[in-house]
Amino acid sequence: MTKKIIVIVKSPEIKKVIKKILLDSSYEIYYFEEIREALDIIYDEVPDLVLIEAVNNPFVEVSIINDLKSDPLFVSMNVLAIVSPDFYTEDWQNFIVDDYVRVNELQIDLPMRINLCFERLERVIATSPLTKLPGNLVIQREIQKRLQRGDVFALAYADLDNFKPFNDKYGFSRGDQVIKMLGRLILNIIRSEQPNGSFVGHIGGDDFVYIMSPEKIEETTQKIINIFDNLVINFYDEEDIRKGYIESVDREGKTHLYPIMTVSVGITSNQFRTFKHFSEMAEVASMMKSVAKKQKEKRYAIDRRRK
């Protein structure tokens, strides 16, 4: 998809330089002299980058941008400020830009700065802000890359049982702590059991995936389940630990009793069957996770089909 850049410059000379630099680029570029003129297009479709001239009164010129960046909708919008040759500030709290380029260095630095902004944003999007683990995009690429290389590997899909009632009762902050603990636990155990060739990703919410060799994944999964069982009670109030359950209200307003959280894992592998696309493999792992949730004795289920 073509990246959209909003350029806001008053100086005809600077605009001329920018146009020359970006002449052969593949970006979709819109030029404005005042930020207020650009707001309609910024609100209608959040651009990938706003390039704003902030040479004479930098704090005044980016003040509206600062307001926009305080809105979660615009957090991912890159802002690159063009500043004077002698620009200096330590007040970055009131100068919310993602990067800056000095006006006398536009010719050399502007293309690099723009590319850097886009690369940095992609890395941020690709990482879970809560667990710092690779997110959905990286997970998909990792699975597809291994399938295309012909690697033999096992994929596990893990999530928590009774997480929502826990979140409802104790609040999202304590829920986030549990998710962070699970992510760290999976990462540490996978790294310990298979330092090379393994992978851990955080899909989002309480959903995680990990990749290991088929020979190691069952024993490692049981280890993750056991250690999680020991750790998770630290997140409950003493009274609830004594009872062995929590009381929480469902969407219909009815009170239910929910057991202490556990983790369920679905596992599949391309050792004895063929997957061409990451989504096929992820779907089977997810299906096995549903099987695991219905089991009473084991909280993991392995796809052992050979076709």
Side-chain angles (χ1 to χ4, degrees), residues 1-6 27-28 45-51 69 74 76-80 98 114 117-118 121 125:
M1 184 181 293
T2 304
K3 288 187 167 54
K4 180 180 289 184
I5 300 178
I6 303 295
Y27 304 127
E28 185 181 342
E45 189 177 342
V46 180
D48 299 287
L49 172 71
V50 172
L51 177 60
K69 292 281 276 184
F74 297 98
S76 63
M77 181 180 74
N78 278 294
V79 178
L80 177 54
D98 297 281
I114 290 175
C117 278
F118 291 147
L121 180 61
I125 291 173

Side-chain angles (χ1 to χ4, degrees), residues 274-287:
T274 302
F275 294 105
K276 291 182 178 177
H277 195 265
F278 73 85
S279 60
E280 296 174 44
M281 199 168 188
E283 187 178 340
V284 173
S286 176
M287 186 175 67

